[in-house]
Amino acid sequence: MYLFPRQLLIRHFWTPKQQIDFLDIYHALRKQSHPEILCCLERVIPLISDAGLRWHMAELCTKIQHGTHPAVHDILALRNCFSNYPLGMNQLHALQMKALSRAMLLTPYLPPLLLRHRLKTHTTVIHHLDKALAKLGIGQLTAQEVKSACYLRGLNSTHVAEDRCRTWLGEWLQISCSLKEAELSLLLHNVVLLSTNYIGTRR
């Protein structure tokens, strides 16, 4: 436990410095999957039947790849792409699900059927938490609770000021609480879309 505290000790027993260092390590691991997930989105653009949605998806991918943080309405404009083919939860390919699992800090080393089931379950739980959090209000959370909530949803909040974390969490909740159950694939991809270029996170 002394030699391998990250692997053998739960977060409660980490020192403050270890918490920052270890969370950075975990975020670096999930960030490695971001380019692959964006490439998957680019590859399906020709498969989107609606010309307007094709344009919106291409524009969103370009913005993110050029370092721009997307607006909430940019992401919500694509919700129909994620409710059915080609990006609905039941239409995701195995490689996409492996990359998304890494982005969620879940092991990708499972058969596709189990990957899909676990991603669905994990995303549904976060969606329910989001609805409860929206009712409670972000203002009721402590600084540490806000940072933990952001980290769970893909933001490396260890290096982001509290007010910026609250702003980001508000954007996440605005998107999440607008989605229906059939559109939760968008919430899953939002772990990458909303966090990649947020101010203070590009390291």
Side-chain angles (χ1 to χ4, degrees), residues 109-178:
Y109 306 112
L110 290 174
L113 189 64
L114 290 179
L115 283 177
R116 193 184 315 278
H117 174 72
R118 196 181 49 179
L119 285 172
K120 278 184 180 179
T121 302
H122 200 72
T123 309
T124 300
V125 168
I126 290 178
H127 191 223
H128 288 317
L129 288 173
D130 289 342
K131 289 181 177 179
L133 184 53
K135 288 182 180 179
L136 175 67
I138 299 174
Q140 300 298 314
L141 301 181
T142 66
Q144 185 55 51
E145 287 171 340
V146 168
K147 285 181 174 283
S148 295
C150 289
Y151 194 91
L152 173 68
R153 291 160 176 80
L155 183 72
N156 189 11
S157 52
T158 54
H159 302 283
V160 182
E162 180 191 342
D163 61 330
R164 298 296 305 170
C165 285
R166 291 184 186 274
T167 300
W168 185 89
L169 187 56
E171 292 179 4
W172 174 282
L173 293 181
Q174 190 177 343
I175 293 170
S176 180
C177 293
S178 300

Side-chain angles (χ1 to χ4, degrees), residues 15-165:
T15 67
K17 183 179 185 306
Q18 284 176 333
Q19 289 199 26
I20 294 173
D21 292 345
F22 295 165
L23 290 177
D24 278 346
I25 290 171
Y26 287 128
H27 184 73
L29 291 172
R30 66 184 178 186
K31 196 173 180 181
Q32 289 174 4
S33 66
H34 288 192
E36 186 178 350
I37 292 168
L38 290 174
C39 283
C40 287
L41 291 179
E42 284 187 312
R43 282 198 295 268
V44 303
I45 290 174
L47 304 177
I48 299 173
S49 58
D50 185 275
L53 290 177
R54 282 199 304 272
W55 183 88
H56 275 297
M57 181 66 80
E59 186 75 4
L60 180 65
C61 290
T62 300
K63 279 184 177 181
I64 293 174
Q65 289 170 340
H66 286 80
T68 300
H69 178 66
V72 168
H73 63 81
D74 290 331
I75 295 174
L76 284 176
L78 293 165
R79 58 196 299 171
N80 287 341
C81 296
F82 293 86
S83 61
N84 45 48
Y85 184 82
L87 289 167
M89 197 73 82
N90 292 326
Q91 283 77 40
L92 296 176
H93 295 297
L95 289 178
Q96 286 175 284
M97 291 191 291
K98 287 179 183 293
L100 288 164
S101 293
R102 290 195 296 273
M104 298 290 281
L105 291 177
L106 300 171
T107 179
Y109 306 112
L110 290 174
L113 189 64
L114 290 179
L115 283 177
R116 193 184 315 278
H117 174 72
R118 196 181 49 179
L119 285 172
K120 278 184 180 179
T121 302
H122 200 72
T123 309
T124 300
V125 168
I126 290 178
H127 191 223
H128 288 317
L129 288 173
D130 289 342
K131 289 181 177 179
L133 184 53
K135 288 182 180 179
L136 175 67
I138 299 174
Q140 300 298 314
L141 301 181
T142 66
Q144 185 55 51
E145 287 171 340
V146 168
K147 285 181 174 283
S148 295
C150 289
Y151 194 91
L152 173 68
R153 291 160 176 80
L155 183 72
N156 189 11
S157 52
T158 54
H159 302 283
V160 182
E162 180 191 342
D163 61 330
R164 298 296 305 170
C165 285

